[in-house]
Amino acid sequence: MSSFQNKIIIITAPSGAGKTSITRYLLNKYPQLAFSISAATRSKRDYETDGVDYYFLTAEDFKQKIQQGEFVEWEMVYEGKYYGTLKAELQRIWDNHQCPLLDIDVKGAIHVQQQYPDTSLTIFIEPPSVAELKRRLESRGTETAESLQARVNKASYEISFKDHFNKNIINDNLEKACAEADEIVREFLGL
Ligand code: 5GP
């Protein structure tokens, strides 16, 4: 059995707080980590690949998997759009002797933490401010005015949960935030 069996690292944050950059940094640095590919029903962006960034599913397929108990957690993260972590995905990674790294929303993170209280590590990435987060999302250019506003509203709500997590990193400087995450992960994995 792998020494990482049942270990899970969860990076969570409001959209635009920089968790994807920190997740990428950790995945590049530690071959012991593997990105947990979520299932999602939103449309694929041009730069994304099915089965790499997400398992893109129809709403019908997603709901069937909910009924069959295939998810560790799932959420309707945005209106009408489902995202979820598949049990089989975590097992695939453990079977590969790696530790899954999840990049999921705040509610999903709390649900995974509740199911794996002794073997999970939750890291909350906090944006320096909601105004800065809005600016980052605008410059990323992936959102419509409507979806941008939805993400900004959701961010304020999500920041109110920050004390639920094992570790909290304020991302006012990406390099510094990555270094902090690095140290936390190294300790958790016993490296
Ligand atoms: P995006 O649409 O920008 O790829 O992701 C939107 C949000 O959904 C992000 O906050 C992302 O972390 C979250 N997300 C991605 N996968 C999952 C998942 O499996 N479960 C949950 N609860 N949230 C997820």
Side-chain angles (χ1 to χ4, degrees):
M1 189 165 78
S2 148
S3 57
F4 298 127
Q5 185 70 35
N6 282 348
K7 279 202 173 189
I8 301 178
I9 298 175
I10 304 151
I11 308 262
T12 191
S15 176
K19 73 179 178 315
T20 305
S21 307
I22 295 171
T23 301
R24 269 199 218 116
Y25 168 84
L26 292 170
L27 288 168
N28 277 333
K29 175 139 186 196
Y30 293 106
Q32 294 89 343
L33 297 175
F35 180 61
S36 163
I37 304 165
S38 294
T41 66
R42 75 151 164 74
S43 353
K44 189 175 87 57
R45 296 174 185 147
D46 286 347
Y47 56 84
E48 291 176 327
T49 307
D50 188 17
V52 174
D53 298 285
Y54 284 104
Y55 300 114
F56 291 100
L57 301 182
T58 62
E60 195 184 336
D61 286 346
F62 197 103
K63 285 178 193 163
Q64 196 179 354
K65 288 188 188 297
I66 295 174
Q67 274 168 7
Q68 290 169 344
E70 293 187 34
F71 287 104
V72 182
E73 62 78 33
W74 62 271
E75 292 293 327
M76 189 188 280
V77 175
Y78 296 107
E79 196 52 49
K81 304 293 174 213
Y82 294 93
Y83 295 76
T85 307
L86 291 160
K87 291 176 185 168
E89 176 65 5
L90 298 185
Q91 197 56 54
R92 176 185 75 78
I93 294 170
W94 288 323
D95 288 349
N96 213 17
H97 308 289
Q98 289 174 298
C99 174
L101 182 61
L102 280 58
D103 167 348
I104 64 177
D105 88 328
V106 166
K107 275 201 214 157
I110 291 172
H111 286 146
V112 178
Q113 186 175 35
Q114 283 167 346
Q115 289 175 70
Y116 295 91
D118 301 324
T119 51
S120 66
L121 169 72
T122 47
I123 305 176
F124 183 80
I125 312 294
E126 195 179 339
S129 69
V130 173
E132 169 62 14
L133 182 126
K134 188 171 179 204
R135 200 194 57 71
R136 286 181 195 173
L137 281 172
E138 276 165 352
S139 68
R140 191 169 81 180
T142 54
E143 306 308 317
T144 62
E146 202 181 27
S147 73
L148 178 89
Q149 194 52 50
R151 281 172 193 248
V152 169
N153 291 345
K154 190 167 187 274
S156 307
Y157 173 71
E158 289 183 323
I159 292 169
S160 71
F161 287 94
K162 67 178 184 182
D163 294 333
H164 285 71
F165 304 106
N166 299 126
K167 302 283 180 184
N168 192 344
I169 297 175
I170 298 176
N171 183 14
D172 50 4
N173 170 299
L174 186 59
E175 207 176 317
K176 196 170 122 261
C178 286
E180 274 181 56
D182 192 334
E183 177 129 7
I184 292 166
V185 164
R186 201 149 18 105
E187 191 192 329
F188 177 74
L189 294 179
L191 301 175

